[in-house]
Amino acid sequence: MRIRKPINIFVLLLVCFSCIDEYPLDIRSYENLLVIDGMITNQPGPYTVRLSRSASIDYPVFDPVINAKIIIEDNHGNNEQLTEIDDGIYATAPDGMQGVSDRSYRLKLELADGTKYESPYQRMNGSVGIDSVYAKIEYRETSDPDYDLVGYQFYLNSSPSVNDTVYYLWQLEETWEFNSDFTLDYIYEGTISPSGNPYKFYTCWTTKKIPEINCFSTLNQASPQVADYPLTYVSTQSKRLSIRYSLLTRQLTISKEAYKFWNDVKQQISDNELLFDQQPFQIRGNLHNVNEPDEPVMGYFTVAGTSEKRIFVNRPLFVDFDYPVCFPETDLRKLAYTPPRYWPIYLVDTKDGMAIGEKSCFDCRMHDGSLEKPEFWTDAD
């Protein structure tokens, strides 16, 4: 399931279950709970902790908890207090604490009203390398018998682990290059004049985290290695694969308890976002109220060894793309009746002559794009 609203995933998991029939649930009992989302790894920081209150399902917004005191400490007496860099978002210093394998870490939290919470110490496991991440063209059936979805399915192979049982959590971040539908050939501001640079807003890059939960355990496997694990599927129903696409995979080695938490979250999220007849249960995180341990606290403070790998794929060949595109309007008479408050108006040269279009057809920034190429980006061979 893709989450499109700015709400913590732990709020949504409370209303999603895994069978067929709808289940009547009083969602109000899950509102205004403390939600924690944070992590420390063996990679350099800064590390970030997000602190919020669970929101109403009717109004799913990020409800930040401000002015809290948050400390990460290890079992060797080292600690660092985080700084609130934005409402409800706390971070260590760029040159601050860095996680060390085989040490144990916990999070301590004090709200502005003096209420205290803390997590148990968790040992940081050593990282396991990623052998490969690769993509395959795959077709998927849809409700339309005449149309199959096509796209790249990404898979992962881990390196062998020295331990028989490893618990994994993967975090995914995607970046794609795309073009606007039209070049900006002319500008109308009372009169039509050349734009000077048709490609000024033509090419953009977008980077987003993929809000999917991918976790796996090698328990009871013959080999302590992950083979051909399906990470994420990217279809040709958007511009994400239209030019060039990059997937960054972070592989986290987590504790058995953290794995159970994330696996429970994964199981409680269904594709159709309905309430079902499986008896619901509240997934509690690993923080507790020091004075009232029965208070439910959502989310998890994760301690993990990590490794990562980035791959690039080009536009797939010999497949159909099916995403909305702009259509130019060649009737320019409307220019004379458009008030100045709507200027400038953008125009493009077509085989049928000069044409008008919406600004979003010319400016890729209006589709969550940035004109600045990422530092890590490499162009297609």
Side-chain angles (χ1 to χ4, degrees):
M1 181 182 74
R2 296 295 176 89
I3 299 174
R4 298 178 176 85
K5 295 181 180 179
I7 178 175
N8 196 298
I9 192 170
F10 307 117
V11 179
L12 287 182
L13 69 89
L14 294 171
V15 295
C16 301
F17 303 94
S18 61
C19 276
I20 300 173
D21 299 323
E22 293 191 15
Y23 185 91
L25 177 67
D26 183 4
I27 302 171
R28 290 171 297 179
S29 61
Y30 298 112
E31 295 177 14
N32 202 39
L33 300 182
L34 187 66
V35 182
I36 183 79
D37 181 14
M39 179 179 297
I40 183 171
T41 74
N42 60 350
Q43 297 295 313
Y47 309 116
T48 301
V49 173
R50 294 168 59 90
L51 194 62
S52 62
R53 291 285 180 183
S54 58
S56 164
I57 298 301
D58 296 327
Y59 301 97
V61 296
F62 178 66
D63 182 14
V65 174
I66 63 174
N67 300 327
K69 179 181 179 181
I70 300 179
I71 294 174
I72 298 176
E73 64 180 21
D74 68 14
N75 60 339
H76 287 232
N78 304 301
N79 65 79
E80 181 177 353
Q81 181 172 335
L82 282 66
T83 301
E84 189 170 9
I85 59 175
D86 201 351
D87 286 354
I89 301 177
Y90 302 78
T92 59
D95 58 350
M97 173 182 286
Q98 179 174 342
V100 179
S101 297
D102 296 327
R103 290 189 184 181
S104 295
Y105 295 85
R106 70 175 177 179
L107 184 141
K108 300 177 71 174
L109 163 66
E110 182 176 345
L111 301 184
D113 65 4
T115 308
K116 295 181 179 180
Y117 301 81
E118 63 182 38
S119 68
Y121 277 111
Q122 302 171 80
R123 179 177 173 272
M124 181 171 290
N125 297 316
S127 59
V128 177
I130 300 174
D131 179 74
S132 62
V133 176
Y134 65 96
K136 291 175 60 178
I137 290 290
E138 293 188 5
Y139 290 82
R140 296 189 175 181
E141 292 183 356
T142 68
S143 57
D144 183 350
D146 297 322
Y147 174 75
D148 284 342
L149 197 65
V150 60
Y152 277 129
Q153 173 66 56
F154 290 85
Y155 293 91
L156 175 140
N157 293 314
S158 76
S159 300
S161 170
V162 297
N163 299 313
D164 290 337
T165 302
V166 183
Y167 300 96
Y168 291 102
L169 177 69
W170 290 283
Q171 295 179 332
L172 307 177
E173 184 178 276
E174 59 182 351
T175 303
W176 65 92
E177 180 182 2
F178 67 99
N179 291 334
S180 57
D181 289 345
F182 302 149
T183 55
L184 177 54
D185 297 319
Y186 299 93
I187 295 177
Y188 175 81
E189 292 179 294
T191 59
I192 297 175
S193 59
S195 68
N197 181 4
Y199 297 95
K200 183 177 181 180
F201 306 129
Y202 190 62
T203 301
C204 279
W205 290 262
T206 296
T207 296
K208 291 186 176 181
K209 296 185 184 299
I210 300 177
E212 298 173 358
I213 298 176
N214 290 282
C215 53
F216 185 79
S217 168
T218 61
L219 180 66
N220 298 325
Q221 281 198 170
S223 171
Q225 187 173 5
V226 181
D228 303 319
Y229 180 87
L231 290 171
T232 191
Y233 184 77
V234 183
S235 78
T236 55
Q237 288 187 315
S238 73
K239 287 188 176 183
R240 292 154 74 196
L241 299 179
S242 61
I243 299 179
R244 188 160 166 83
Y245 179 93
S246 177
L247 181 70
L248 175 64
T249 303
R250 294 187 178 94
Q251 178 170 276
L252 309 174
T253 54
I254 58 178
S255 67
K256 179 180 179 180
E257 294 75 18
Y259 169 78
K260 182 181 185 306
F261 171 84
W262 287 108
N263 196 49
D264 285 346
V265 172
K266 180 179 180 179
Q267 291 179 3
Q268 293 251 352
I269 296 178
S270 67
D271 289 337
N272 51 12
E273 301 184 14
L274 291 177
L275 306 183
F276 298 110
D277 68 357
Q278 176 177 311
Q279 179 68 31
F281 64 94
Q282 186 181 63
I283 302 175
R284 299 180 63 164
N286 63 342
L287 262 77
H288 66 274
N289 186 318
V290 173
N291 296 315
E292 297 182 22
D294 290 336
E295 176 191 338
V297 180
M298 300 168 64
Y300 211 87
F301 176 65
T302 303
V303 177
T306 183
S307 57
E308 63 181 42
K309 183 176 286 290
R310 179 183 294 280
I311 68 165
F312 291 85
V313 293
N314 294 326
R315 178 188 177 103
L317 301 177
F318 312 116
V319 300
D320 293 327
F321 280 72
D322 183 26
Y323 53 77
V325 296
C326 296
F327 292 96
E329 182 180 344
T330 55
D331 185 355
L332 304 185
R333 290 176 295 179
K334 66 185 303 182
L335 292 177
Y337 304 102
T338 304
R341 66 177 178 273
Y342 296 109
W343 297 351
I345 297 173
Y346 295 161
L347 300 97
V348 61
D349 261 334
T350 72
K351 61 181 179 61
D352 298 318
M354 198 177 298
I356 308 171
E358 297 292 333
K359 284 188 173 65
S360 59
C361 302
F362 295 85
D363 191 343
C364 59
R365 298 174 303 173
M366 299 181 71
H367 298 277
D368 296 327
S370 170
L371 298 174
E372 184 176 353
K373 181 189 295 187
E375 292 183 1
F376 61 81
W377 195 261
T378 61
D379 292 324
D381 298 332

